Amino acid sequence: MDTHKNSATILQTKQHFEILDGLRGVASLAVVVFHFMEWVYPDASRNFIGHGFLAVDFFFCLSGFVIAYAYDDRIAKMGILEFFKSRVIRLHPLVIAGSVLGLLAFLFDPFGGDPGLFSTGKIILLFVCSALLIPFPVMGDRGFNLFGLNAPSWSLFWEYVANIVYAFVLYKIKRVYLILLTIISAVAICFVCYRSGNLLGGWSGPTFWEGCARISYSFLAGLLIYRSNRIIKNKLGFIGLAILLSLAFIMPFSNWNWLSEALVVLFYFPLLIALGAGAALKPGLKKVCVFSGKISYPLYMTHYAALWMFGNYYTNHKPGGTELTFVIIGGIILLVGFAYLVMVVFDIPVRKYLNDKRNERLARQKAVL
């Protein structure tokens, strides 16, 4: 009965931390640029944004903070099932959209690729697994990605895992145990980084468990920041924090790379979350941050279909510097525009429809009671 009485409360949206929303957009754009540049410079040490993949760790930490802020005080009232429904409605439409786009790009890539290497049955299975976030690392020509049709989905798989663990365990765990789990996860991060030389893993079958280490520490750190009230008041603003975040992605490589990446994830990103939550936002930048936050997830989940086509174009045609520069800059602009289109035409309407249906059902149940 409590669940239905609190239906209006549990489904309302809390206010956003606009600067953190803006930083999410900066991180998403960094991922797109990194994915373009890793085709051009397979040797990450020559890539000016060679640490752009660390944006995923920033996403994980931000997710832990936001989940704690949004649900810690209401998940017990709303119930685990409604929590899962909220997360699926928020995340899964774009998982499906990214899978559809990845399938179309795979089948109709004008620059190469060979879908004939796979039977129709296997292609269907690839798509179903991608749409349902079931890891299926069988595409050798795509580095045995967990999700060959839409590579970034690997992080959404772990996001769902983190949400499940949060709902059943983490939301009610005592702070001392949360700190202990965070320390254990920090040790795992250091081990992974030292063994591999970097924190790039998690996206492929052979590096599957590295993804577990990455989500474990960063998500727990985000929870801990919120529950410890480690919000640091400051005047850095969105621009200052965006610059500080970008520095993590463009830091130089060295023989101590494994340590520098670990330190960024263990300390620097949690610090930026704490600063972002406490920073003051100038009114003129509010619209920029709001747009940046809204476009970040659609951009992240829809861009990689084009990256496989770009990779085949670059491999087969070897464009010169000027042409390549125009293609990459133009591609980034087009991908942002396309992500906005997907958001407006598909993601927002679908989520609104699903939420409206859920609200209608809860209202009927409340009326009966």
Side-chain angles (χ1 to χ4, degrees):
M1 184 177 292
D2 286 343
T3 298
H4 304 314
K5 282 184 177 181
N6 288 285
S7 61
T9 302
I10 63 177
L11 296 180
Q12 70 184 17
T13 303
K14 290 190 175 186
Q15 77 173 82
H16 286 76
F17 291 96
E18 282 93 356
I19 287 183
L20 292 180
D21 286 341
L23 294 179
R24 185 188 291 111
V26 173
S28 185
L29 187 62
V31 169
V32 176
V33 176
F34 167 76
H35 282 153
F36 270 108
M37 297 309 298
E38 72 172 344
W39 278 104
V40 180
Y41 297 109
D43 179 2
S45 64
R46 298 179 57 208
N47 184 349
F48 81 93
I49 194 168
H51 292 95
F53 60 87
L54 292 177
V56 176
D57 300 272
F58 180 78
F59 291 146
F60 288 155
C61 191
L62 181 56
S63 176
F65 178 85
V66 170
I67 289 292
Y69 168 70
Y71 293 104
D72 266 8
D73 62 352
R74 57 178 179 160
I75 188 172
K77 296 178 181 178
M78 72 191 297
I80 290 176
L81 182 59
E82 289 300 327
F83 169 74
F84 287 148
K85 287 179 181 178
S86 295
R87 300 310 294 154
V88 169
I89 290 172
R90 176 66 185 96
L91 298 175
H92 220 79
L94 284 171
V95 171
I96 293 173
S99 300
V100 171
L101 291 170
L103 177 64
L104 293 174
F106 177 64
L107 295 176
F108 305 110
D109 186 345
F111 301 110
D114 191 2
L117 292 174
F118 296 86
S119 66
T120 302
K122 181 165 279 191
I123 292 174
I124 292 172
L125 185 57
L126 277 164
F127 174 76
V128 170
C129 288
S130 182
L132 297 179
L133 280 184
I134 301 170
F136 190 43
V138 297
M139 302 181 79
D141 57 332
R142 293 189 170 188
F144 292 101
N145 270 276
L146 295 181
F147 302 93
L149 296 181
N150 194 32
S153 289
W154 76 268
S155 62
L156 269 296
F157 168 82
W158 286 113
E159 179 73 21
Y160 269 121
V161 171
N163 280 218
I164 291 168
V165 176
Y166 169 82
F168 286 109
V169 179
L170 296 177
Y171 93 87
K172 57 188 175 183
I173 198 173
K174 290 183 178 179
R175 185 165 169 268
V176 64
Y177 295 120
L178 181 61
I179 292 172
L180 180 61
L181 287 175
T182 307
I183 292 172
I184 293 170
S185 299
V187 173
I189 281 286
C190 293
F191 172 75
V192 166
C193 210
Y194 180 75
R195 186 185 65 176
S196 303
N198 56 52
L199 279 176
L200 184 56
W203 51 269
S204 66
T207 64
F208 177 80
W209 290 109
E210 293 181 23
C212 182
R214 292 174 72 180
I215 184 73
S216 295
Y217 174 77
S218 292
F219 190 86
L220 290 168
L223 289 177
L224 197 56
I225 292 167
Y226 176 75
R227 292 183 187 170
S228 303
N229 197 28
R230 299 296 184 191
I231 294 174
I232 304 171
K233 297 293 184 181
N234 63 91
K235 297 181 180 179
L236 288 168
F238 171 64
I239 299 298
L241 286 167
I243 292 172
L244 289 177
L245 177 59
S246 299
L247 290 177
F249 307 141
I250 62 174
M251 66 178 178
F253 281 77
S254 71
N255 292 333
W256 294 92
N257 184 66
W258 68 271
L259 181 59
S260 59
E261 288 186 7
L263 290 174
V264 164
V265 171
L266 293 177
F267 302 108
Y268 191 61
F269 285 161
L271 174 63
L272 290 183
I273 301 294
L275 290 169
L281 179 63
K282 293 181 180 179
L285 291 173
K286 182 173 182 178
K287 288 185 177 180
V288 174
C289 286
V290 170
F291 175 79
S292 180
K294 286 183 176 179
I295 201 71
S296 61
Y297 183 46
L299 179 61
Y300 182 73
M301 288 303 290
T302 62
H303 78 280
Y304 214 85
L307 263 296
W308 285 120
M309 291 190 287
F310 169 77
N312 286 327
Y313 158 77
Y314 178 76
T315 301
N316 294 328
H317 295 276
K318 300 294 183 184
T322 303
E323 179 184 351
L324 185 61
T325 301
F326 278 112
V327 167
I328 292 176
I329 293 175
I332 292 170
I333 293 171
L334 287 173
L335 284 172
V336 172
F338 182 72
Y340 178 78
L341 185 66
V342 171
M343 178 181 73
V344 172
V345 173
F346 174 75
D347 184 44
I348 292 176
V350 168
R351 287 193 287 118
K352 182 179 185 303
Y353 171 79
L354 294 173
N355 278 316
D356 287 347
K357 286 292 184 183
R358 185 166 63 145
N359 288 334
E360 289 172 9
R361 178 183 56 78
L362 288 171
R364 286 196 302 269
Q365 291 175 339
K366 185 178 180 182
V368 169
L369 293 173

